[in-house]
Amino acid sequence: MFVINIYTQCCGIVLLIVLAWFYQHQKKLHLNTGKAFFLTLLVALVSITMDALSIVTICNMDKLPLLFVELVCKTYLVSLVAMALSAVCYICTDIYSKRLQYYKVVNANFVLGILMTILIYCLPISIYHEHASGVAYTYGPSVLMAYIAAVIYLLMNLVFLVWKKDVIRVSRRKAMLFWMIIWIGAALIQFLHNELLIVGFAAAVGIMVLYIKLENPEVNLDRQTGLFNQTALTRYMRQLSYRSRHFSLVLLVLEHSFYKNISRESETVAEMEMINFITAVPGTMAFKTAGDEIMLLYETPEEAEHALHLLRKRFETGWGKDASVFQRPFWIYLPDSTLIKDVKDLTYLIKHVRQNSKELIDNGFLQIDEKLAKDMYYAQEMEGVIFNAIEQNWITVYYQPIYSNKEDRFTSAEALVRITDEDGRVVPPYDFVWIAEKNGMMLRLGEIIFEKVCQFIQRENPEQYGIRYIEVN
């Protein structure tokens, strides 16, 4: 049994070391969830190592001081409690996005953990070792206290997963539940059969599940370029928003038409050289957000302006083996994120600027200022007005008669569309038509207008008034 337990613990130790090595040597975002996960992984590694060490010391207790053996065994019990506590910290990174809330909950649990640790070290512990079979385990008040503490934290995790399910991502909730089930099952088996030491290995398997399902850095990377992808940007922006952190942004809009007359190999070499240069600029966090966009984030405007100077200067020369591939990107610069109310508005802002800025097309560079941000929010608000008008049927058609000088009478009419907002105010066409044309809503508006005109003709028969036709624009 001694050999089986040691082999089991060694398998868990090797598994966690491999996971830790892969996690540390992969490109990753510095997210709170990632930091909490790595802390949980390290605590689990310490715990399973202490588990193996406690078995070794018990089996050699005739050669070692009893106080030392008891200290090692109690330290292992404390590490079990620490692992359960680290799981609470990990799940709380999703629940409590505000730093103050997070630390308030974590600190309260940490104080509780310290009290339990003191009790574990102070309470007596009994050791059982059978030389013939190699069975070795501990029992007594100290062990019982450790189980109570671990169960409290495990139940706390389960309560969080159920109580706060609306703010926890579904994938995280499922992975954490799977881990908890494995861990609780192993703890029950070990509690009923003290000779089987499997709690540490079960924890290692749970950590592996978390890594595969949630914390593998590869899921945040664009496979083609190796830059962070749109998913990573969304998660990173969410964290910046929760922590009220400001940033500066540089957006490169690449023109793929420059690659038309070069080979695929030359294109790949040039692209990788660009990517390597961009990511080497100090302070740069680079995200591939679309087929032709690379977004660069910086902590301060000074860092962003320095990077912008270096990048624009480098893009004046060629790329590739013989510097024959030239790329002339469009540049969009947001010096201060306080210009936008919420990071969620960033995508709309970039879309708005790309669609409506003549300066960007003419000069290849645009700095977003307060006026552009206000224009964007107005366009966003008006888009909502148009959407609501379509959904609530707040669209009215007015008919302007057209006079024929030749016939000296009204012979036709023009259908004019008007929409109203939720307060009943009529929105002038020059305020919404250009927005509807940009975002694709004009087609739906046209269908509604045409349908209303047809209904009007059928209902009112304007031909009886000499109106032969109605123009629909």
Side-chain angles (χ1 to χ4, degrees):
M1 187 58 68
F2 168 78
V3 174
I4 293 175
N5 285 331
I6 287 294
Y7 280 172
T8 302
Q9 310 304 3
C10 287
C11 288
I13 290 170
V14 170
L15 176 61
L16 291 178
I17 289 174
V18 170
L19 289 179
W21 188 90
F22 273 110
Y23 187 81
Q24 282 297 94
H25 288 80
Q26 286 178 299
K27 182 178 179 180
K28 55 187 175 293
L29 286 170
H30 299 291
L31 298 174
N32 292 334
T33 53
K35 294 174 183 177
F37 166 75
F38 191 65
L39 173 63
T40 304
L41 190 154
L42 291 180
V43 172
L45 181 58
V46 170
S47 179
I48 197 168
T49 302
M50 289 304 303
D51 194 1
L53 186 60
S54 66
I55 298 172
V56 173
T57 54
I58 290 173
C59 292
N60 292 277
M61 61 186 302
D62 55 336
K63 305 172 186 175
L64 298 169
L66 180 61
L67 184 62
F68 174 76
V69 176
E70 290 181 350
L71 181 64
V72 171
C73 293
K74 288 182 178 182
T75 301
Y76 161 63
L77 296 175
V78 169
S79 71
L80 277 179
V81 178
M83 185 160 50
L85 174 59
S86 68
V88 173
C89 297
Y90 177 65
I91 198 65
C92 282
T93 56
D94 253 12
I95 299 172
Y96 299 102
S97 52
K98 299 293 184 182
R99 181 177 287 189
L100 185 61
Q101 293 176 323
Y102 174 77
Y103 281 116
K104 188 181 292 185
V105 174
V106 169
N107 288 340
N109 281 283
F110 186 73
V111 170
L112 178 62
I114 290 176
L115 294 175
M116 292 175 175
T117 297
I118 294 171
L119 287 173
I120 290 170
Y121 276 118
C122 292
L123 291 171
I125 188 171
S126 300
I127 300 173
Y128 177 83
H129 179 221
E130 188 178 290
H131 288 278
S133 61
V135 174
Y137 58 86
T138 55
Y139 60 98
S142 181
V143 176
L144 185 60
M145 185 67 239
Y147 271 104
I148 291 172
V151 167
I152 288 173
Y153 283 130
L154 288 174
L155 289 176
M156 198 176 297
N157 274 293
L158 292 174
V159 169
F160 278 138
L161 289 170
V162 175
W163 179 39
K164 298 289 187 177
K165 63 180 181 180
D166 293 335
V167 295
I168 303 174
R169 287 185 295 141
V170 175
S171 57
R172 187 176 301 280
R173 192 169 72 247
K174 287 182 178 179
M176 286 295 293
L177 280 171
F178 183 78
W179 184 26
M180 293 298 106
I181 291 170
I182 291 176
W183 206 1
I184 292 172
L188 286 173
I189 293 171
Q190 184 169 318
F191 183 76
L192 297 173
H193 302 277
N194 292 331
E195 70 277 7
L196 297 176
L197 305 180
I198 58 174
V199 170
F201 182 74
V205 172
I207 295 289
M208 180 184 68
V209 171
L210 293 182
Y211 176 85
I212 294 172
K213 298 288 289 183
L214 302 174
E215 302 300 339
N216 185 356
E218 289 286 337
V219 301
N220 291 321
L221 298 180
D222 177 71
R223 291 186 178 276
Q224 183 178 349
T225 62
L227 300 176
F228 294 118
N229 56 24
Q230 181 66 48
T231 301
L233 177 65
T234 301
R235 297 178 67 188
Y236 188 69
M237 286 291 187
R238 189 187 300 126
Q239 179 169 298
L240 289 177
S241 175
Y242 291 155
R243 297 171 67 179
S244 301
R245 293 279 297 275
H246 304 315
F247 59 89
S248 299
L249 177 150
V250 175
L251 184 75
L252 284 77
V253 182
L254 303 173
E255 288 293 313
H256 291 292
S257 58
F258 284 95
Y259 297 131
K260 283 184 178 179
N261 299 318
I262 64 173
S263 66
R264 179 59 185 165
E265 181 184 357
S266 298
E267 177 187 342
T268 302
V269 171
E271 281 187 344
M272 291 315 301
E273 187 180 349
M274 284 184 221
I275 297 301
N276 291 335
F277 184 85
I278 290 170
T279 53
V281 174
T284 298
M285 288 199 68
F287 300 82
K288 187 72 181 298
T289 55
D292 62 346
E293 291 180 358
I294 296 178
M295 186 180 293
L296 313 177
L297 298 185
Y298 300 90
E299 292 186 356
T300 65
E302 291 76 21
E303 280 187 343
E305 289 169 11
H306 176 67
L308 190 57
H309 172 74
L310 292 176
L311 291 167
R312 294 188 72 182
K313 186 175 180 180
R314 176 63 185 87
F315 271 87
E316 292 174 359
T317 58
W319 304 88
K321 293 179 181 178
D322 51 0
S324 60
V325 179
F326 288 86
Q327 175 67 263
R328 296 289 182 264
F330 293 109
W331 303 86
I332 299 174
Y333 174 43
L334 175 67
D336 191 346
S337 60
T338 56
L339 289 173
I340 56 176
K341 299 173 185 176
D342 194 292
V343 293
K344 295 176 183 177
D345 300 328
L346 186 59
T347 302
Y348 192 94
L349 174 62
I350 291 170
K351 176 186 173 183
H352 174 78
V353 168
R354 290 192 61 177
Q355 287 181 341
N356 302 292
S357 178
K358 186 175 181 297
E359 183 182 345
L360 179 64
I361 298 172
D362 293 343
N363 303 327
F365 177 83
L366 178 70
Q367 179 169 326
I368 297 174
D369 55 17
E370 189 174 354
K371 181 182 180 302
L372 272 173
K374 286 182 178 178
D375 290 344
M376 180 274 294
Y377 279 113
Y378 179 79
Q380 191 179 44
E381 179 184 356
M382 192 55 58
E383 188 173 300
V385 171
I386 298 169
F387 180 81
N388 287 335
I390 292 173
E391 290 294 308
Q392 303 296 328
N393 194 27
W394 293 338
I395 299 172
T396 306
V397 179
Y398 294 89
Y399 299 92
Q400 180 174 292
I402 300 175
Y403 187 81
S404 172
N405 290 326
K406 184 178 179 180
E407 300 186 32
D408 197 25
R409 65 186 181 86
F410 294 105
T411 58
S412 61
E414 181 182 8
L416 304 175
V417 62
R418 297 292 184 269
I419 66 173
T420 54
D421 60 19
E422 59 184 5
D423 297 322
R425 292 174 297 192
V426 177
V427 180
Y430 56 78
D431 280 350
F432 72 85
V433 169
W434 66 276
I435 295 174
E437 289 174 343
K438 291 289 185 182
N439 62 23
M441 290 182 174
M442 185 53 74
L443 181 62
R444 179 60 185 142
L445 279 174
E447 291 174 350
I448 294 172
I449 296 165
F450 186 77
E451 184 179 340
K452 286 180 177 291
V453 170
C454 291
Q455 291 171 351
F456 171 79
I457 292 172
Q458 186 179 28
R459 184 178 64 252
E460 301 295 339
N461 188 23
E463 197 171 359
Q464 65 179 314
Y465 305 110
I467 304 298
R468 298 172 187 153
Y469 61 89
I470 296 175
E471 296 179 357
V472 180
N473 293 327

